[in-house]
Amino acid sequence: MSHPLTRVLTLLELLQSTAGLTGTELADRLDTDVRTVRRYIGHLRDLGIPVEAERGRYGGYRLARGYRMPPLVLTNDEALAVVLGLLAAERLGMGTTVLAGAGARAKIERVLPDALREPLIAMRETLSFTADAVIAQAPGSGVLLALAQASRARTAVGITYRSWRQDRTERDIDPYGVVFHTGRWYLVGHDHLRDDLRTFRIDRIASVTARARAFTTPDGFDPVAHLNASLAQAPYRWRVEVTIHGPLDEIARRLPSTAVTLTPQPAGVLMQARAERLDGMAHLLASLEWPFTVHGPEELRPAIKQLAHQLLASAERTAGELPQ
């Protein structure tokens, strides 16, 4: 580590990764002396990177929170972790905007040495996922961060909300938690306009205003469990009740908790669900390995019979024979 610039960049990396290192500790890490460390600290300050020095037994150097983000120095493993995180967020629909994620990834790849940049680009171009990419309406980053901060601080917020009918309302919310689910961000909290526990899609929240009022989250409240229950009870055309004659734990692993409610019964497991299309429910039931009994609606029975006829015809069809 002979070049002074290399030592300055290494010093920046040390300050980013570990706060409170003393001059002696930094000198040992950089293989130099304390006086030279102080000179390198001066170089960083000249570049506009705020470095604070604290005296005393537990003192040391640390990066201060400045008016802008200082240059980041990443190790190979850290760069790989960031790129993989950006790729996963893009695939899952977790990003606030596609351009922001792509821009961050491009900046990282642009400054990496060839020995690391080429493998990372190869990873990006060859990485496959078992699930399809999620295309969802991304929330504004300012809105998302404001809700997360208010939820953590247990302070109320005012929101401007747009419903699926495009109606705009002003609401005061006690934000209990932020949840990401299947490509969308949700806010779970107490809605003072309706005086009830509600779930809001964050991409429909136009603005967030902090309120000077604290709240207490109910004991044991689980935002994820509430969201799953809310989505399972969403209005659909058909209400389905079927007893599946199999073990509860294995059935629960096969069926999405956001779409069904499972109740153990002497004869098996009572599945209650809502469906917009009964042919889709027929396919779902047929995919299970256990027998089942339909309680309702009666219209589900012909949908299952139609699927059975299609499967039987496919099983009997010979090579070269076209479907009727």
Side-chain angles (χ1 to χ4, degrees), residues 73 143 260 284-285 290 296:
V73 180
V143 169
V260 303
L284 176 65
L285 292 170
W290 305 281

Side-chain angles (χ1 to χ4, degrees), residues 1-145:
M1 196 186 302
S2 58
H3 200 282
L5 179 58
T6 303
R7 287 189 176 135
V8 172
L9 293 176
T10 304
L11 172 61
L12 177 59
E13 180 182 355
L14 290 171
L15 293 174
Q16 288 175 343
S17 59
T18 308
L21 290 174
T22 65
T24 301
E25 291 171 333
L26 290 171
D28 291 341
R29 303 274 187 102
L30 297 172
D31 192 22
T32 186
D33 53 60
V34 174
R35 183 178 179 182
T36 303
V37 168
R38 287 198 293 266
R39 188 169 69 251
Y40 291 163
I41 293 292
H43 291 334
L44 291 177
R45 288 169 175 165
D46 291 341
L47 293 172
I49 300 173
V51 181
E52 294 180 341
E54 295 185 4
R55 297 183 180 277
R57 180 180 179 182
Y58 301 103
Y61 292 99
R62 69 186 69 247
L63 288 179
R65 291 183 175 87
Y67 64 92
R68 62 184 177 88
M69 179 182 290
L72 290 176
V73 180
L74 300 176
T75 66
N76 291 359
D77 287 344
E78 290 168 345
L80 176 61
V82 172
V83 171
L84 290 178
L86 291 170
L87 290 173
E90 180 180 324
R91 176 57 61 115
L92 295 173
M94 289 190 70
T96 53
T97 65
V98 174
L99 293 178
R105 191 177 67 240
K107 287 180 180 179
I108 294 174
E109 292 177 351
R110 191 179 301 122
V111 300
L112 291 174
D114 290 340
L116 182 59
R117 185 172 64 88
E118 293 302 327
L120 283 178
I121 292 177
M123 171 67 73
R124 169 169 57 82
E125 293 180 351
T126 60
L127 179 63
S128 299
F129 292 79
T130 57
D132 293 333
V134 174
I135 300 176
Q137 183 67 37
S141 57
V143 169
L144 184 61
L145 293 176

Side-chain angles (χ1 to χ4, degrees), residues 83-245:
V83 171
L84 290 178
L86 291 170
L87 290 173
E90 180 180 324
R91 176 57 61 115
L92 295 173
M94 289 190 70
T96 53
T97 65
V98 174
L99 293 178
R105 191 177 67 240
K107 287 180 180 179
I108 294 174
E109 292 177 351
R110 191 179 301 122
V111 300
L112 291 174
D114 290 340
L116 182 59
R117 185 172 64 88
E118 293 302 327
L120 283 178
I121 292 177
M123 171 67 73
R124 169 169 57 82
E125 293 180 351
T126 60
L127 179 63
S128 299
F129 292 79
T130 57
D132 293 333
V134 174
I135 300 176
Q137 183 67 37
S141 57
V143 169
L144 184 61
L145 293 176
L147 293 173
Q149 185 176 10
S151 176
R152 180 187 182 189
R154 299 293 184 262
T155 55
V157 295
I159 66 172
T160 301
Y161 190 71
R162 172 179 52 83
S163 71
W164 65 275
R165 296 188 182 92
Q166 304 301 313
D167 298 329
R168 296 176 70 90
T169 55
E170 302 291 333
R171 301 165 182 258
D172 274 8
I173 308 294
D174 295 343
Y176 293 164
V178 172
V179 181
F180 179 80
H181 174 70
T182 61
R184 287 196 173 97
W185 293 91
Y186 295 89
L187 170 67
V188 178
H190 183 82
D191 179 10
H192 289 269
L193 180 64
R194 306 301 185 200
D195 192 23
D196 196 8
L197 190 60
R198 290 298 179 92
T199 299
F200 302 93
R201 275 179 48 179
I202 295 181
D203 60 284
R204 292 177 178 170
I205 298 177
S207 63
V208 179
T209 304
R211 302 287 192 231
R213 178 175 54 80
F215 67 87
T216 301
T217 304
D219 292 339
F221 181 79
D222 185 349
V224 174
H226 174 78
L227 177 65
N228 286 337
S230 298
L231 295 178
Q233 297 301 319
Y236 290 96
R237 182 179 178 186
W238 302 100
R239 181 179 180 85
V240 177
E241 289 194 2
V242 175
T243 294
I244 303 172
H245 304 285

Side-chain angles (χ1 to χ4, degrees), residues 281-317:
M281 181 58 64
H283 281 81
L284 176 65
L285 292 170
S287 69
L288 302 176
E289 60 186 273
W290 305 281
F292 56 85
T293 301
V294 175
H295 302 296
E298 287 300 316
E299 291 83 354
L300 178 58
R301 300 181 188 276
I304 296 173
K305 291 180 181 179
Q306 177 64 29
L307 176 60
H309 290 317
Q310 294 174 0
L311 293 175
L312 181 60
S314 296
E316 296 178 345
R317 188 175 301 120

